Amino acid sequence: MSQQYGPPPGPPPAPAPGGWGTGPQVRGQQGPPAQFGGWGPGPGRPSRPPKPNRTPWIIMAGAIVAVLLVAVGVVLMVNGKDDKPTTQSSPEPTGRTMYTPSPTPTPNDSKGPNDVGVEVGWGIWFTPSKGWLPDWDKSRSGKNYILQQFNARGLIDGYYWVRQTELYDAKGFAEHLVDVESNGMEGVRIGKGTTCKPANPNIKACYAVTYTGAWVAKNGRRVAMQGFVTAYQDQFDRTTATDAALETRVYARRVNELIYMNNSVVKSF
């Protein structure tokens, strides 16, 4: 900004005595006459040296400030409009990491050393005891074996049924099968279910339920029955159940055969 020199703002000062011109001259006075009034300096006032012009320095400082403001504006435009620091994704490290997740386990249903006898499914097998025969009704699911009555062809003393599901856990499937098997019986009594713990670590859950009831033949003959259901659930939530029932009169002397077949299922997991 340049400076302008001129008369001060406002009305001019009042004229000195004698008007705007020079006063009367006194004879004998040497030197220039004294001046009164007007815009010049008064008598005897020393003249001041002119002030240095600071305009170039002010312009230079303003230019420097402008350049700095432009640079700050560019930085803000690159990093974002707000003051929050931007999140930068760091590159993924190469090579071996500190933690390597284990692969998701998958079922291994191939035949193993303990898979003997009859294959049920999902790599589960069981070994029928001596005297137990495949059921002649092939429309039923799973694997069903029957115990034929001694010296009485066509009559049975009991059955042993292995079947599988993914719709129930161990407890739910055992309770469901007991309801199904005892539905056609009279005087049914269902025992308290128990949680079992087989030695095979591949079995995640096990549940067993016992029951008794009377099966009624077409001729009205009543046959007392005794049975149980044991369900085994693997690590992939697949459930295999053994469903057994025998006539009460032969149950005590055949129960070890049922235990043997159940153990063959447990070893197969």
Side-chain angles (χ1 to χ4, degrees):
M1 181 178 64
S2 61
Q3 295 181 354
Q4 297 180 355
Y5 296 92
W20 296 99
T22 59
Q25 297 183 359
V26 181
R27 295 181 179 179
Q29 183 176 4
Q30 301 294 330
Q35 297 180 359
F36 299 93
W39 298 104
R45 179 179 295 176
S47 61
R48 298 180 179 178
K51 296 182 179 180
N53 190 358
R54 299 180 179 177
T55 302
W57 294 101
I58 295 174
I59 295 175
M60 185 178 297
I64 294 173
V65 172
V67 171
L68 292 176
L69 291 176
V70 172
V72 172
V74 172
V75 172
L76 291 177
M77 290 178 63
V78 173
N79 292 337
K81 296 182 179 181
D82 52 4
D83 295 336
K84 297 181 180 180
T86 58
T87 303
Q88 297 181 355
S89 59
S90 58
E92 294 293 334
T94 58
R96 189 172 182 179
T97 58
M98 294 290 292
Y99 168 72
T100 302
S102 59
T104 303
T106 56
N108 181 10
D109 297 338
S110 60
K111 187 175 181 180
N114 296 319
D115 298 336
V116 181
V118 179
E119 182 178 8
V120 182
W122 297 333
I124 305 300
W125 296 59
F126 84 98
T127 305
S129 296
K130 186 178 180 180
W132 290 79
L133 304 175
D135 188 2
W136 49 80
D137 187 355
K138 304 301 180 182
S139 64
R140 297 176 181 177
S141 62
K143 298 297 180 179
N144 186 25
Y145 273 62
I146 59 176
L147 179 62
Q148 186 170 328
Q149 194 175 100
F150 182 72
N151 291 333
R153 186 175 179 83
L155 298 180
I156 64 174
D157 286 339
Y159 63 86
Y160 184 87
W161 200 344
V162 183
R163 42 188 148 177
Q164 298 172 321
T165 185
E166 292 180 284
L167 302 178
Y168 296 91
D169 58 6
K171 182 176 182 295
F173 198 34
E175 294 174 342
H176 169 70
L177 291 180
V178 167
D179 290 338
V180 171
E181 297 298 347
S182 62
N183 187 38
M185 296 184 181
E186 295 181 355
V188 177
R189 298 184 63 180
I190 299 176
K192 183 179 180 181
T194 58
T195 300
C196 42
K197 296 181 179 180
N200 194 330
N202 295 325
I203 298 177
K204 184 174 73 172
C206 175
Y207 198 80
V209 184
T210 61
Y211 67 96
T212 59
W215 176 75
V216 182
K218 292 182 180 180
N219 58 5
R221 177 171 170 261
R222 294 165 57 90
V223 180
M225 302 288 292
Q226 183 175 349
F228 65 84
V229 175
T230 307
Y232 308 95
Q233 184 178 354
D234 67 9
Q235 301 176 11
F236 306 98
D237 294 330
R238 304 180 302 185
T239 305
T240 301
T242 60
D243 179 359
L246 286 83
E247 289 190 31
T248 304
R249 63 181 180 84
V250 299
Y251 188 90
R253 54 189 170 90
R254 293 283 188 170
V255 67
N256 288 335
E257 299 174 6
L258 303 178
I259 296 175
Y260 170 78
M261 290 190 284
N262 261 30
N263 288 337
S264 68
V265 173
V266 171
K267 293 178 181 179
S268 183
F269 273 84

